[in-house]
Amino acid sequence: GTMSIYSGFTRLCKGLAVVLIGGHIVVQILPSAVSYLALIPAKTIPFGWNLVTAGYIEQSIYGVVTSTIGLLIIGKLLEPLWGSREFLKFIFVVNFLTSVCVFITAISLYYITWQEAYLYRPISGFQGVLAGFLVGIKQIIPDQELSLLKIKAKWLPSLALLVSVVVSFFTTESASYLSTVIFGTYMGWIYLRYWQRKTETRLRGDPSDEFAFSTFFPEFLRPVIDPVATILGRILCGRRSETSDESGGYTLGGTSLPGSDPIEASRRR
């Protein structure tokens, strides 16, 4: 059982792991490459490609080891369920949108504080996508208890966010990863909640109450979180639902349609 954790990795995940390791080697051999590949808000215009490349560049050995192991192990669980194409699409979309949000946040903080550190600090790493992966685990096996941590899988994204926030109080480098983890978690949820197409049902997204945004928070906070999440969902994703193609299903927004996806419900059980 223990050996199975470290075997059976998919070809796509192995390829992406090579990209992460290769990116780390490049910036170690050529430190100046960080200026072109990492997300440096002051240089994003005209170097717009760093919105994509930043997510695949790990500047520290700890980062590349953590990201590679996380990609291989979590990818082995998610890719067979989503399919290789959907898995790769999830990585690209979450990585790009996370970088866009980090860029906008850095620019906003600069104009609020006038501290140039927000403009010139290189931000990179795969942690945003890893945070999105944890949301995927929350979606597919929410009630599975993890023997190592003694918690249910549905709390993994929230735990990762909490740990990231706590650690940020003890390190000056928190800005290089905290915003990425936060936005990676949210963009991962947005993608799975509203945009992911289910090939077996021809539905889009996951409208179940068990996957609502408020489920990332403790019970007593949910009455406050739900209205805010609904507003953000309408802003980001337009109408809450609309009729789909000949399958008779729905393109789903924020409302729950009980029984609309029996395959998904069976998989959760």
Side-chain angles (χ1 to χ4, degrees), residues 242-265:
E242 62 183 15
T243 304
S244 184
D245 52 17
E246 69 275 4
S247 66
Y250 290 90
T251 300
L252 300 165
T255 56
S256 175
L257 300 180
S260 63
D261 194 347
I263 296 178
E264 183 71 23

Side-chain angles (χ1 to χ4, degrees), residues 11 30 35 52 63 87 91 93 96 102 105 113 128 131 134 148 171 186 198 209 223 231 241-242 252:
R11 182 178 300 179
L30 299 172
S35 300
V52 176
F87 182 74
I91 291 175
V93 172
F96 176 72
V102 170
T105 300
T113 64
L134 295 182
L148 183 62
T171 173
Y186 188 63
K198 307 293 180 63
D209 291 336
I231 294 173
S241 64
E242 62 183 15
L252 300 165

Side-chain angles (χ1 to χ4, degrees), residues 164-181:
S164 298
V165 171
V166 171
V167 171
S168 69
F169 289 105
F170 301 97
T171 173
T172 57
E173 300 299 322
S174 61
S176 64
Y177 71 86
L178 180 58
S179 58
T180 306
V181 173

Side-chain angles (χ1 to χ4, degrees), residues 13 15 35 42 59 75 80 85 87 100 125 127 134 139 144 146 149 152 158 166-167 173 186 190 197 199 216 219 244:
C13 287
S35 300
Q59 300 180 53
R85 182 176 180 179
F87 182 74
V100 170
Q127 60 269 14
L134 295 182
Q139 181 193 40
Q144 178 72 40
L146 306 175
L149 300 176
K152 292 185 177 181
S158 304
V166 171
V167 171
E173 300 299 322
Y186 188 63
I190 285 288
R197 181 175 292 278
T199 56
F216 288 82
E219 191 79 30
S244 184

